[in-house]
């Protein structure tokens, strides 16, 4: 995403692709440059994933004080699924809906910035990332006020009889999904913009010259060409949303708790590390499987 | 109405038709502006709440206007200490991640070596993992390593450098690949040695990318909650303070900090943008 932000807010016309980067043939200096960072990532990202899997197989009868013993206790996974399938499913459903909403409102925004904004392009891009300048938690807290029981939105919806007289938004799935959609929208808009921006306008004009209506031209030319952005944006929205527990905690009730809330509680309050580890691994595996199938499907659709 | 009739109606010159044409051709833009407005509503709430008199405790609502919170920003106990702690972590994490990440970006763009694709994968994965998984796996490591009892400043710093690193690599790499290498060849042709070429040509050209990466790192570090909360022990960062306050009573000073953060970042970004625009003009 950083690369996208960088390229997006940079100069309007990117310089022509420079000739091949000079590659130093000195292997030694290459290793010297990459090793410190690579070791950091290995020790503090890759090795921890191993510790997480190990933790998930510890004997659940141990405790932090007595220490855990490794017993290859695969039952941890079974009981984690049995106890927490609901929050797990809820996470996938909530973040799935939030991702779809982000796509629905993010696509027109990205399209407008890429094709209609003209000299306002950079300003609009800054406006897209500007809400990020304040803290995630504080932004989420302001939704608590916006959706509160005596707030404008709830009273309007009550007036329109969409909500009952004692109906509320706070502490409902609607509030949690609203928060997720809001907080991850820029993750959708920026990759979409980056891929829409790259589209050669002559292709769209050619569709028009060949008597395609604007809608058909969009469906057959613009949208397929923006698919890489759709895939990237969907993943960048879905993955963090599925692991998030801030929105569920601040805007929802215990009935809306997501898998992140459970993992966090198991680690910090219940001190049940094996169960927390198992649940974390399950979440990671689910996401990997979903992402792989999604990329494969999106890839084949692109070819058709 | 047939399609032809519809078209001739839409192409007519009357004010209604013209208004309709304007509306349909600007429809996407109108929607986009509405989305941007939606994105700023919570920010407006943050600014508004920073002036709240905060008469009703435990309920988050606007009671009345006051300057008191801005004049007494450090009144909530522990908040300014938390901000200070977050700034310290943020600066050190930015320094560490920017140095390590810039070196990695140079290695990936400018050097051939075995294991490049493995390195790229390890850099990409942290950006594609849910924070809760990264946070819990780091905690699992710290516990396995026997430092579970000493969670605090150093474990938070380790975590922050880890998750900022990938973003630095990606940002600097983008700048470096876009660099016109003919400029460096020209320097070499003019008898600059490798060292001079690097410090006089390459580095100044890459610097905006490094600066952007550093700003991004700082904001990622300053704002992180999920990973930090798992690995903080008894230390309290600013997001953790907000989290704690949200369970009890939210002091309006939190919104003072939120507003200040927003304004400072906006000034930095807009200033940087104006600066680069002025330079581009001066160059052309």
């Amino acid at each position: 995403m950083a690369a996208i932000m960088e390229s997006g807010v940079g100069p309007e016309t990117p310089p022509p692709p420079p000739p091949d980067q000079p590659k130093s043939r000195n292997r030694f200096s290459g290793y010297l440059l990459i090793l410190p960072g690579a070791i950091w990532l290995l020790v503090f990202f890759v090795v921890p994933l191993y510790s997480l899997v190990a933790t998930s197989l510890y004997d659940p009868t141990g405790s932090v004080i007595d220490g855990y013993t490794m017993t290859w206790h695969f039952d941890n996974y079974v009981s984690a699924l049995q106890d927490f399938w609901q929050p797990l499913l809820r996470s996938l459903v909530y973040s799935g809906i939030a991702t779809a909403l982000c796509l629905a409102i993010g696509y027109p925004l990205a399209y407008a910035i890429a094709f209609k904004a003209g000299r306002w392009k950079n300003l609009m891009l800054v406006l897209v990332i500007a809400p990020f300048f304040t803290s995630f938690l504080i932004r989420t807290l302001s939704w608590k006020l916006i959706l509160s029981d005596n707030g404008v939105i709830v009273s309007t919806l009550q007036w329109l009889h969409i909500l009952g007289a004692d109906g509320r938004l706070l502490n409902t799935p609607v509030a949690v999904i609203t928060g997720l959609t809001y907080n991850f929208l820029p993750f959708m808009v920026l990759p979409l913009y980056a891929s829409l921006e790259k589209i050669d306008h002559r292709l769209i004009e050619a569709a028009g010259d060949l008597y395609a209506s604007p809608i058909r031209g969009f469906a057959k030319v613009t949208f397929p060409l923006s698919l890489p952005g759709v895939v990237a944006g969907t993943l960048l929205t879905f993955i963090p949303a599925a692991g998030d527990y801030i929105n569920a905690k601040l805007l929802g009730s215990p009935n809306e708790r997501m898998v992140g809330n459970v993992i966090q509680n198991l680690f910090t309050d219940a001190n049940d590390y094996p169960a927390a580890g198992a649940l974390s691994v399950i979440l990671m595996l689910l996401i990997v499987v979903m992402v792989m199938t999604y990329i494969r499907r999106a890839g084949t659709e692109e070819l058709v | 109405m047939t399609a032809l009739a519809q078209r001739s109606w839409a192409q007519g010159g009357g004010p209604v038709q013209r208004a309709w044409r304007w509306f349909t051709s600007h429809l996407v833009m109108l929607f986009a502006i509405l989305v941007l407005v939606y994105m700023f509503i919570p920010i407006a709430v943050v600014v508004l709440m920073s002036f709240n008199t905060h008469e009703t405790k435990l309920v988050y609502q606007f009671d009345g206007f006051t300057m008191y919170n801005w004049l007494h920003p450090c009144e909530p106990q522990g908040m300014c200490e938390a901000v200070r702690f977050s700034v310290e972590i943020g600066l050190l994490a930015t320094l560490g991640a920017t140095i390590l990440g810039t070196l990695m970006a140079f290695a990936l763009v400018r050097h051939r070596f075995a294991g490049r694709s493995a390195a790229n994968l390890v850099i990409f994965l942290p950006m594609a993992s849910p924070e809760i998984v990264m946070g819990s796996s780091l905690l699992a490591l710290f516990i396995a390593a026997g430092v579970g009892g000493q969670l605090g400043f150093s474990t938070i710093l380790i975590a922050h450098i880890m998750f900022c690193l990938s973003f630095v690599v990606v940002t600097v790499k983008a700048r470096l690949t876009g660099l016109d290498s003919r400029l460096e060849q020209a320097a070499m042709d003019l008898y600059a040695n490798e060292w001079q070429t690097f410090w006089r040509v390459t580095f100044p050209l890459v610097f905006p990318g490094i600066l952007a990466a550093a700003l991004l790192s700082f904001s990622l570090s300053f704002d992180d909650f999920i990973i930090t909360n798992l690995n903080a022990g008894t230390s309290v960062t600013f997001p953790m303070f907000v989290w704690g306050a949200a369970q009890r009573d939210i002091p309006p000073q939190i919104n003072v900090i939120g507003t200040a953060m927003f304004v400072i970042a906006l000034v930095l970004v807009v200033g940087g943008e104006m600066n680069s625009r002025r330079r581009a003009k001066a160059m052309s």
Side-chain angles (χ1 to χ4, degrees), chain A residues 10-35:
Chain A
E12 279 103 338
T13 45
D20 273 348
Q21 288 285 335
K23 290 261 195 304
S24 165
R25 250 167 267 129
N26 189 347
R27 269 156 200 257
F28 183 68
S29 58
Y31 287 124
L32 207 63
L33 290 173
I34 201 152
L35 269 182

Side-chain angles (χ1 to χ4, degrees), chain B residues 23-60:
Chain B
F23 182 73
T24 48
S25 70
H26 291 76
L27 197 60
V28 184
M29 204 59 194
L30 284 174
F31 185 82
I33 290 168
L34 283 180
V35 175
L36 285 177
V37 169
Y38 154 79
M39 290 180 78
F40 274 87
I41 292 172
I43 307 298
V45 172
V46 172
V47 177
L48 177 77
M49 291 303 279
S50 76
F51 294 106
N52 187 17
T53 47
H54 195 54
E55 275 146 14
T56 34
K57 308 285 172 193
L58 297 170
V59 182
Y60 200 43

Side-chain angles (χ1 to χ4, degrees), chain A residues 199-212 217 221-222:
Chain A
I199 295 177
D200 189 340
H201 287 231
R202 286 171 302 181
L203 292 171
I204 302 165
E205 283 166 26
D209 290 345
L210 294 167
Y211 300 105
V221 180
T222 315

Side-chain angles (χ1 to χ4, degrees), chain A residues 1-6 9-12 15-16 18-27 29-38 40-49 51-52 55 58 64 104-106 108-109 111-113 116-117 119-120 122-124 126-139 141-146 148 150 178 181-182 185-186 189 236 239-240 242-246 249-250 259-261 263-264 267-268 273 276 280-281 283-284 287, chain B residues 25 28-29 31-33 35-36 38-43 45-46 48-49 59-62 100-101 103-104 106-116 119 122-123 125-134 136-144 157-159 161-163 165-168 170-171 174-182 184-185 208-209 212 216 219 223 225-226 229-230 238-240 242-243 246-247 250 254-255 257-259 261-263 265-266 269-270 273 276-277:
Chain A
M1 197 187 78
I4 294 148
M5 284 160 125
E6 167 73 0
V9 193
E12 279 103 338
D20 273 348
Q21 288 285 335
K23 290 261 195 304
S24 165
R25 250 167 267 129
N26 189 347
R27 269 156 200 257
S29 58
Y31 287 124
L32 207 63
L33 290 173
I34 201 152
L35 269 182
W40 197 280
L41 285 179
L42 277 180
V43 176
F44 298 120
F45 177 73
V46 180
V47 176
L49 289 178
S51 326
L52 183 69
T55 305
Y58 284 166
V64 196
I105 57 180
L109 176 59
Y111 185 90
I113 300 175
K116 308 271 177 193
R119 61 201 184 93
W120 301 107
N122 279 5
L123 175 73
M124 285 181 81
V126 169
L127 291 180
V128 169
I129 46 172
F132 262 45
F133 295 159
T134 193
S135 161
F136 187 103
L137 284 160
I138 299 182
R139 266 180 288 148
L141 279 179
S142 37
W143 276 102
K144 200 172 169 151
L145 182 91
I146 298 168
S148 66
N150 40 14
T178 306
T181 309
Y182 177 77
L185 185 58
V189 176
L236 282 175
I239 295 171
D244 178 78
Y245 63 81
I246 297 171
K249 177 78 181 184
L250 296 183
V259 68
N261 304 65
I263 297 174
Q264 165 73 27
F267 263 121
T268 53
Y273 293 158
S280 260
V281 174
L283 175 67
M284 188 73 187
I287 286 178
Chain B
S25 70
V28 184
M29 204 59 194
F31 185 82
I33 290 168
V35 175
L36 285 177
Y38 154 79
M39 290 180 78
F40 274 87
I41 292 172
I43 307 298
V45 172
V46 172
L48 177 77
M49 291 303 279
V59 182
Y60 200 43
Q61 65 174 48
F62 189 74
L100 295 177
L103 295 180
M104 286 179 101
F106 268 95
L108 287 169
V109 179
R110 290 297 172 85
H111 291 270
R112 263 185 254 266
F113 54 91
R116 279 169 60 95
V122 172
I123 289 162
L125 273 179
M127 293 190 289
S129 309
E131 282 189 75
I132 186 83
V133 174
M134 281 195 277
S136 53
S137 54
L138 253 181
L139 179 60
L141 173 80
F142 288 140
I143 289 165
L157 187 60
I158 286 172
I161 293 179
M162 183 271 289
F163 69 71
L165 196 48
S166 305
F167 288 94
V168 173
V170 171
T171 313
R175 181 82 193 179
L176 202 52
T177 16
L179 199 81
D180 191 342
S181 61
R182 286 171 300 186
E184 289 162 299
Q185 283 158 18
L216 186 64
S219 57
D223 202 21
F225 174 71
I226 295 182
N229 194 29
L230 280 166
F238 178 63
M240 290 172 70
V242 178
W243 180 259
Q247 322 292 328
I250 304 159
I254 279 179
N255 293 296
I257 304 288
T259 310
M261 276 165 70
F262 179 75
V263 172
L266 200 63
V269 169
V270 172
E273 175 73 8
S276 67
R277 215 171 257 208

Side-chain angles (χ1 to χ4, degrees), chain B residues 206-252:
Chain B
V206 182
F207 186 71
I210 298 177
L211 193 66
L215 285 175
L216 186 64
S217 290
F218 185 81
S219 57
L220 285 172
S221 162
F222 194 83
D223 202 21
D224 182 75
F225 174 71
I226 295 182
I227 297 179
T228 312
N229 194 29
L230 280 166
N231 293 290
T234 52
S235 305
V236 179
T237 62
F238 178 63
M240 290 172 70
F241 178 85
V242 178
W243 180 259
Q247 322 292 328
R248 302 185 303 271
D249 181 46
I250 304 159

Side-chain angles (χ1 to χ4, degrees), chain A:
Chain A
M1 197 187 78
I4 294 148
M5 284 160 125
E6 167 73 0
S7 65
V9 193
E12 279 103 338
T13 45
D20 273 348
Q21 288 285 335
K23 290 261 195 304
S24 165
R25 250 167 267 129
N26 189 347
R27 269 156 200 257
F28 183 68
S29 58
Y31 287 124
L32 207 63
L33 290 173
I34 201 152
L35 269 182
I39 289 173
W40 197 280
L41 285 179
L42 277 180
V43 176
F44 298 120
F45 177 73
V46 180
V47 176
L49 289 178
Y50 167 80
S51 326
L52 183 69
V53 176
T55 305
S56 72
L57 296 170
Y58 284 166
D59 185 351
T61 53
S63 74
V64 196
I65 300 121
D66 306 332
Y68 285 105
T69 44
M70 175 55 125
T71 51
W72 298 98
H73 204 91
F74 281 100
D75 278 356
N76 287 340
Y77 283 84
V78 180
S79 52
L81 274 178
Q82 268 169 354
D83 295 346
F84 306 115
W85 65 271
Q86 276 178 315
L88 199 60
L89 186 68
R90 210 177 279 136
S91 287
L92 301 181
V93 172
Y94 286 2
S95 51
I97 296 173
T99 307
L101 287 172
C102 279
L103 186 62
I105 57 180
Y107 199 100
L109 176 59
Y111 185 90
I113 300 175
F115 291 120
K116 308 271 177 193
R119 61 201 184 93
W120 301 107
K121 191 178 275 184
N122 279 5
L123 175 73
M124 285 181 81
L125 278 170
V126 169
L127 291 180
V128 169
I129 46 172
F132 262 45
F133 295 159
T134 193
S135 161
F136 187 103
L137 284 160
I138 299 182
R139 266 180 288 148
T140 312
L141 279 179
S142 37
W143 276 102
K144 200 172 169 151
L145 182 91
I146 298 168
L147 299 174
S148 66
D149 295 340
N150 40 14
V152 186
I153 295 187
V154 168
S155 37
T156 311
L157 288 177
Q158 282 171 344
W159 182 70
L160 290 169
H161 291 283
I162 295 172
L163 271 181
D166 56 347
R168 56 191 319 224
L169 289 174
L170 216 55
N171 297 340
T172 65
V174 176
V176 179
I177 294 170
T178 306
L180 287 172
T181 309
Y182 177 77
N183 278 315
F184 296 106
L185 185 58
F187 289 86
M188 179 64 88
V189 176
L190 294 172
L192 278 176
Y193 163 76
S195 82
L196 282 166
E197 165 82 326
K198 280 194 207 119
I199 295 177
D200 189 340
H201 287 231
R202 286 171 302 181
L203 292 171
I204 302 165
E205 283 166 26
D209 290 345
L210 294 167
Y211 300 105
S213 68
I215 293 171
R216 208 173 151 76
F218 174 80
K220 291 280 176 189
V221 180
T222 315
F223 186 74
L225 285 174
S226 68
L227 265 184
V230 175
V231 173
T234 314
L235 295 181
L236 282 175
T237 312
F238 181 78
I239 295 171
D244 178 78
Y245 63 81
I246 297 171
N247 289 284
K249 177 78 181 184
L250 296 183
L251 303 174
S253 71
N255 290 329
E256 280 81 40
R257 96 197 152 127
M258 293 169 62
V259 68
N261 304 65
V262 178
I263 297 174
Q264 165 73 27
N265 282 339
L266 286 174
F267 263 121
T268 53
D269 302 331
N271 279 326
D272 189 351
Y273 293 158
L279 207 52
S280 260
V281 174
I282 292 170
L283 175 67
M284 188 73 187
L285 287 178
L286 270 177
I287 286 178
V288 168
V289 169
M290 289 176 76
V291 166
M292 297 295 247
T293 29
Y294 175 69
I295 289 179
R296 192 159 294 172
R297 293 206 74 182
T300 48
E301 267 169 29
E302 206 177 5
L303 289 175
V304 168

